[in-house]
Each structure stands twice: as structure tokens, then as C-alpha cells.
Amino acid sequence: MLKNRTNCLKSDATNLFFLLIIALCLVLLAAASASCNIGSPDNIQGIVSKNQTVSSRVPKITLPSFSPSQHSKTTAVKNMVDYSIGAGDVLSIKVFDHEELTAKARVTQAGTVDFPLIGEVHVAGLGTTAAAHRIESALANGYIIDPQVTIFIEQFKSKKVVVLGAVYNPGLVELNGSINLLELISQVGGLKDNAGETAIIKRQENGTQKDIPINLDRLIKTGDPQLNIQILGGDTVAIAEGAVCFITGEVNQPGKYLCGSDSTVFNIVTRAGSLTEKALESGIKITRTVNGIKQIMQNVTQDTVVQADDVIFVPQRPVSKEEETQCFISGEVNRPGAYPCSGKTSILKLLTKAGGLTDNALESGIEINRQVNGTKRVLRNVDKDTLLQREDVVIVPASAVKKNADCFIAGEVNRPGAYPCSRKTSMLKLLTRAGGLSKNALESGIEINRQVNGRKQVLRNINKDTLLQPDDVVIVPASAAKNEAVCYITGQVKRPGAYPCGRKTTVLKMISLAGGFTGIAAESSIEIKRIVNGKKQVLEDIDDVTLLQPEDVVVVPESFF
């Protein structure tokens, strides 16, 4: 009996479950039917005739719908300030839930656009928000209930600005929406280096031109939003070149530099690469023109404020006789170059300043090249106590002790030096190994210095078939036109240009002729560009005593550190 009662209870539970399923289905069917009635065409407001009464035909039922804006039924694209529509602009106009009314329209010269159903609508002078409201009002007047209009500006053609002066791309600029002064300057490529401190914005207001001065220096440094004003169509923005001052004399980079209202002598000197070692800071002068009359301000300090068109002159301090007098030393010394010397300077003192002799020096062969009444003299058999004179050039030759059978060649060849040779080596072979004759070589004047039984012999009238002997020294002189030969120097020197140079002109002498290095010269990176057999070669690892050849170009690059 207990088993039968259990079966009955299971049967009743199953029946109750099916009854609940049936009831749920009936509820869902009823809800679906109600939904179909709400969405029927009779309850949707469409486009009706302007002469019909909407309320008599359609019951007023509010449908749940999605609006493009949750806070306003009008959406307009704008940047910072709502753009004022003008003639020539192209508008994209959309009405929510009415794609058939989507239109693109260009604003006419009369300031109107033509729109479906309502015809011409005047929008010029309105922002996109106000223009959208105007179209909504017209559509709601008997055409669409609660219209929602969105306006986008596809092409900005009505607002134009003229930018003049010290910018990289001056000219006519079409405004793409609202724009401020800094954005406009960026759009025209930015300010040039010579731009002044002030921009003048010329604007028409109520038929009268108004000039608005803006301090660019303050605007750029501080970003003051009150100075970064909005630019309007029809504005003219003029950015004049800045005032300049000039500086000359003992500075590393004389020239002209921008000077503002608060620029000082120190500012200009800094821009000019600072003072040279020879500058007399206490003697700086300023030449200033006041009412057409030149005035000279003496003994100014570096705190003195300069004015536009001032000329700053930095004089040279008095130079001692020792600084004015130099002697030169080259060859087998550790630091060849130019050194101060006087009538009391001996060869020994000069050798000491030059770091002493190298291991390869031939002390007994030291020579002095001296100019006497315009004539060059060579003094030989000098000792370390010999006194020097101004502009003497001391040459310390290499020892002739041979390690291998070599011949030596010097003078007007492209690669002077020592080369292997035997009694079968001709002059032509040695010249070939030395890179050939330079442009300035006097081929008919080639000589051979040869040691015969301990005595030096000079062989002249040499031709290219002459055979050489080990330890021969071949000298290729320069042609008689050497006085007209020039070398060129460019880059970070004070006076780049062309200067006379002969076969004994060193890089140091050329730099001296060019006024010395500027304050930003990369002294360790000097290069020489040379034409050899019609091909350009670039010589690197140059030092002060590197000898130049006519037409060489010395390049002194700028240091970036």
C-alpha cells in the first residue's frame, strides 16, 4: 500500500509541472500579441501633408526610441567655440530616423542652404547648433513630430586668414573650425629664427579695423590663455622680423643677432660664441644711432641693455712682444708647431717646448730657414745654443740610418716618404710608388741627394729613367708659379676663405691665417680634401704639422659636445 501511495505522489508532481509550462507559454503569447499591436503602422507618425491635421488621424503615442544625444535633441560638431557658418561651407545635415532626408548642401553667397520639404533656410552667421535648431523648427511646422537634426561641417571654405611676416609658410589660410593663435602659427610652419617678440592681429569690428598686439615671447614661454586668443575669419596676423644687433671684434662668431627689449651685451656676446682669448672686456664699445646721429658708448659692461641696430665692438687687449713673435718647428720632434720666441730663445728652448726630439731625429742635421731682407736663407750646422729670430722655421730631419734598403722622396709628390729600392729602381718607379707628381711639381728641377764616401752629392738634370741607389733622397721642387698657389679653409674658423700656400704650409699656419678656431670647432676632426690624379681623396687624422698642397681644402667641422 505504501508503494502505491508513493507512485500516486510522483504522478501528481509530474502533472503540476506540465500545467506550469502551459501557463508560462500562454503569458508569453499574450505579451507578443500586445507588442505587435503597439508596433502597428497605425501608431507610427510619418510624414504627412502640410494641410492635414495630425491629431485627428493618429493617436499621440510616445514610442521608446534611442536619441543620438541623451542631453539635447540637437547634436553639432564643434571645437572649443561653435563655428560660425559662412558662404562656401559644405554642410552634412541628417535627421534622426529619417535617412531619406540626409543631405549635403553648400552655403550660398546669400547664406542659405536648400533642404528637402522646407526649401531654403538661412544659416550664415549661425553656429552649427543654432543652424540645426532652425531646421528643426521648420520641419516641426507640419512635417515631422519632434525632429532631431545633426549638422557636420564637411568643408570649411568661408573663413580665411592672412598670415604675414616671419613664419615659414606665410599666405592665405582656410580655417578648419575654431583655431587659436598658437594653433595658427603651427599650421603655417612655425616662427622663423628671426621672428620678433610681437604679433599684430588686424580685425574688422563694426566696420572699424582694430589692432590687437600679442606678446609672442610671453605667450610661448608661459602659455597664457588670455594671449592665446581665438582667430576669426577675415583676420590678418602680422609677425614682423625681430630687431637685430651687430657684434664685431674679438668674439668667436661675429655677426648679427636678435636682440629683444631686455637683451644685454652679455646675451649678444653669448650668442656670438663668447669672447676670444685676446678680447679686452673692459674696452667694449657700442655704436648707436639716435635721431640720425651716431653716438659711441665707451667702457660699457656686459649688463648694459642694447637697442635695435646697436653695433657692439670688442677690442683686442694689448699683446706682449712674446705673444706677437713666433717660431715654427717641424720634423722629428714630439710636438711640432708654432711657439713664442724672442731674440733670447735658443734651439734648445724651442726643442723643449716642442716636447724634445723623437728617437728617429738626426740632431746633427737640424736646419733653420730664415727670411733675411725678403730672401730665404738656410742655416746648417747649427747647435742647440743657436739663438732664433722671429718667424724662423726649424727643421729636424730624420736619421738616415737604414734598416732596409730604402730610398726617400720629398716635395711635390702626392705621398712623400720612404720606399723600398735597389740599384734597378728607376726614378719613374719611385715616383709611381709616391703617387705621382703633384700639380705644383717642377719635373725638370728634380734632384737626388746621395752619400758618396761619406760626402753629400747633389745630382741634377735627372730624368725618369735615372737609376737610384739605396738611401738616395729625391727632392721634387715646386714650380716657379708656387707663389700664386692657394689653399682653402672652411668651417669653424674665424675667417674662412682662400689663402696663399706653398709646399711648407702646414695646417697650423693655414688655421692661423684664417684667424684661428671658433669656440665650437672640433679641432681633433679636421679633414683635408685633395684631388689626386683627378680623383677626390679625404685625408683624416690630421695634425698641426700636416703639410698642405696647392688647392687643398681644409675642413674644420663643428663640435656637437
Side-chain angles (χ1 to χ4, degrees), residues 23 44 84 90 134 235 279-280 391 420 507:
I44 299 178
S84 178
V90 177
R134 181 166 291 185
D235 284 352
L280 179 62
E391 301 296 326
V507 169

Side-chain angles (χ1 to χ4, degrees), residues 418-479:
Y419 294 90
C421 72
S422 67
R423 293 183 179 274
K424 294 183 179 181
T425 301
S426 67
M427 179 66 67
L428 177 60
K429 286 184 178 180
L430 183 62
L431 288 172
T432 302
R433 290 170 181 169
L437 299 172
S438 72
K439 290 182 179 180
N440 203 35
L442 179 61
E443 185 175 348
S444 61
I446 296 176
E447 297 177 350
I448 298 175
N449 291 348
R450 180 175 292 167
Q451 292 289 328
V452 178
N453 298 324
R455 295 183 179 181
K456 176 180 175 182
Q457 292 184 356
V458 179
L459 308 181
R460 297 182 174 89
N461 300 320
I462 304 301
N463 59 45
K464 292 184 177 180
D465 296 323
T466 301
L467 295 178
L468 299 172
Q469 297 180 13
D471 296 325
D472 276 355
V473 178
V474 178
I475 307 296
V476 182
S479 69

Side-chain angles (χ1 to χ4, degrees), residues 45-50 52 54 73 95 98 101 115-118 121 132-149:
Q45 174 63 49
I47 299 174
V48 298
S49 171
K50 186 175 181 180
Q52 290 178 320
V54 175
K73 64 182 180 180
V95 181
H98 291 280
L101 295 181
F115 195 71
L117 298 180
I118 58 177
V121 181
H133 279 309
R134 181 166 291 185
I135 294 174
E136 287 174 347
S137 297
L139 289 174
N141 188 17
Y143 295 102
I144 301 175
I145 292 177
D146 198 20
Q148 300 174 26
V149 176

Side-chain angles (χ1 to χ4, degrees), residues 22-96:
I22 293 170
L24 181 59
C25 289
L26 291 174
V27 171
L28 292 175
L29 287 173
S33 176
S35 176
C36 290
N37 290 332
I38 291 174
S40 65
D42 291 338
N43 291 328
I44 299 178
Q45 174 63 49
I47 299 174
V48 298
S49 171
K50 186 175 181 180
N51 297 323
Q52 290 178 320
T53 303
V54 175
S55 59
S56 63
R57 295 189 57 210
V58 181
K60 292 184 179 180
I61 300 176
T62 302
L63 299 180
S65 62
F66 169 77
S67 171
S69 173
Q70 297 299 323
H71 304 289
S72 172
K73 64 182 180 180
T74 302
T75 301
V77 176
K78 54 186 178 178
N79 293 320
M80 296 177 65
V81 177
D82 203 4
Y83 177 80
S84 178
I85 297 170
D89 289 339
V90 177
L91 309 182
S92 174
I93 307 171
K94 297 181 180 181
V95 181
F96 176 70

Side-chain angles (χ1 to χ4, degrees), residues 537-548:
Q537 293 183 355
V538 178
L539 310 182
E540 299 177 344
D541 298 325
I542 304 302
D543 58 24
D544 289 347
V545 295
T546 300
L547 293 175
L548 299 175

Side-chain angles (χ1 to χ4, degrees), residues 8 43 46 77 138 141 152 170 232 356 364 368 395 404 429 468 470 500 534:
C8 288
N43 291 328
V77 176
N141 188 17
F152 299 87
L232 305 180
S364 61
I368 299 175
I395 299 175
N404 297 307
K429 286 184 178 180
L468 299 172

